[in-house]
Amino acid sequence: MLPYLLMLVTLVLACLKVTIQGTLTRTFLKNTTDMIFYNMLVFFLIGAVYLVATLPGFPSWVTVGYAVFFGLFGAGFQILYTMALKAGPVSVTVLITSLSVGITTIFGLFHYHEHLAVPGILGLICLAASLLLSVNLREARHSRFSGKWLLLSVGAMVCNGLTGVITKLHGDAPGHSGNNAYMAVAYLVGGLMLLAIWLTHRRKEPQTVPTAPKYILSMLSVGVVLCIYLPLYLYVMQLFDVSVFFPVQSAGSTTLISLTGILLFKDRLKPAQYVGLALGAAAVVLLAL
């Protein structure tokens, strides 16, 4: 029972993170440069917090190696996802990037020789149907699907999937230095990558978000939530099969985020989207059996 309760806590924290980020996006994060700046601050905060938690030790080269790749792919996901949302239809972009759960599921089935029982297979079918029903058909019908947008979306999907694979491999790697050191290196590397991109991109697209303390603190509040969420997320990951953990995280967080949007932001869903919401909840139950 405890693993499932901890899983629920991770879903609630993930939903809280997205809710705060959604509020920031609706208020003062207006363009790509703003989003890069925001993600850079969050990455540096997380990296700094876990660097302090790691001191005075130095992470093993095993941890450094995995963490560097996570940092690069994690920062890459944030950039590509933001650019894809700007270049094409939002709902279809979200759908494509959500398919990253397929990468982690296939990885678990083949690398760890995991086995999905009938409820798990039905859960994956419900998850796929839920993601498809979340697409705004009217928006998709009136949007231009460019090759650039597709490459950005698929690139974001691959980066997101690989961060999960790398994290799982690190947790099982002999000689790793633990999650604190892993997160410290990973997020500092990602922060440096975002810093380099921000310095370049702001020349093309000026930043609009102010740098007054209240705005900085608002953005860093997401980092505070993630500092609590990440250790728990990494711990719970080790309690479940990969082919179960990532689909449950995807279906559960999507369902909770949709419910939060309805309750807090008064989002109006179409009948098909309500069906998708119900299928997402069913996917969580079936995958957890």
Side-chain angles (χ1 to χ4, degrees):
M1 181 60 71
L2 181 60
Y4 293 100
L5 291 175
L6 294 176
M7 175 77 87
L8 177 60
V9 174
T10 65
L11 293 175
V12 171
L13 289 172
C15 180
L16 177 60
K17 177 260 183 187
V18 173
T19 301
I20 297 173
Q21 182 172 304
T23 302
L24 299 179
T25 304
R26 291 168 190 247
T27 52
F28 54 79
L29 297 178
K30 302 300 182 183
N31 60 30
T32 302
T33 305
D34 293 345
M35 291 299 297
I36 295 171
F37 179 70
Y38 150 74
N39 281 297
M40 177 186 72
L41 291 179
V42 171
F43 269 58
F44 276 135
L45 173 64
I46 296 171
V49 167
Y50 286 100
L51 179 62
V52 172
T54 304
L55 295 176
F58 186 84
S60 68
W61 290 111
V62 172
T63 289
V64 170
Y66 281 107
V68 166
F69 279 108
F70 177 94
L72 295 176
F73 284 122
F77 165 72
Q78 298 295 342
I79 299 300
L80 293 172
Y81 185 55
T82 300
M83 294 176 68
L85 289 172
K86 187 176 179 181
V90 172
S91 61
V92 183
T93 302
V94 172
L95 169 64
I96 292 174
T97 53
S98 297
L99 295 178
S100 62
V101 70
I103 296 174
T104 50
T105 302
I106 292 171
F107 165 73
L109 293 174
F110 284 91
H111 183 77
Y112 291 105
H113 306 291
E114 296 172 356
H115 174 70
L116 276 177
V118 173
I121 295 172
L122 292 175
L124 289 177
I125 293 172
C126 287
L127 173 58
S130 174
L131 292 174
L132 286 171
L133 289 170
S134 69
V135 173
N136 186 327
L137 294 178
R138 179 179 295 180
E139 176 204 40
R141 212 176 287 124
H142 293 88
S143 298
R144 293 183 178 180
F145 295 89
S146 65
K148 175 185 175 182
W149 162 79
L150 183 60
L151 285 174
L152 290 170
S153 300
V154 172
M157 176 195 71
V158 172
C159 285
N160 196 32
L162 288 177
T163 57
V165 171
I166 292 167
T167 299
K168 178 60 178 175
L169 287 173
H170 171 261
D172 295 334
H176 74 77
S177 302
N179 291 334
N180 287 347
Y182 175 70
M183 288 187 290
V185 177
Y187 280 92
L188 288 176
V189 168
L192 289 172
M193 180 178 171
L194 289 168
L195 172 61
I197 296 171
W198 173 68
L199 290 173
T200 303
H201 198 272
R202 67 176 181 169
R203 299 171 187 171
K204 303 175 184 178
E205 184 182 55
Q207 180 175 315
T208 67
V209 60
T211 55
K214 70 174 183 178
Y215 293 100
I216 299 296
L217 291 174
S218 296
M219 289 183 277
L220 290 178
S221 64
V222 174
V224 173
V225 173
L226 286 173
C227 284
I228 301 169
Y229 164 78
L230 286 168
L232 184 60
Y233 174 88
L234 294 174
Y235 173 72
V236 176
M237 182 189 296
Q238 302 302 319
L239 304 179
F240 291 88
D241 285 350
V242 176
S243 56
V244 171
F245 176 78
F246 287 102
V248 169
Q249 284 286 320
S250 177
S253 59
T254 301
T255 302
L256 281 178
I257 290 165
S258 297
L259 289 173
T260 302
I262 294 170
L263 296 174
L264 294 184
F265 299 114
K266 308 302 179 184
D267 291 344
R268 294 183 178 180
L269 302 184
K270 296 182 178 180
Q273 291 172 309
Y274 278 109
V275 174
L277 191 62
L279 287 171
V284 174
V285 174
L286 288 168
L287 287 163
L289 290 177

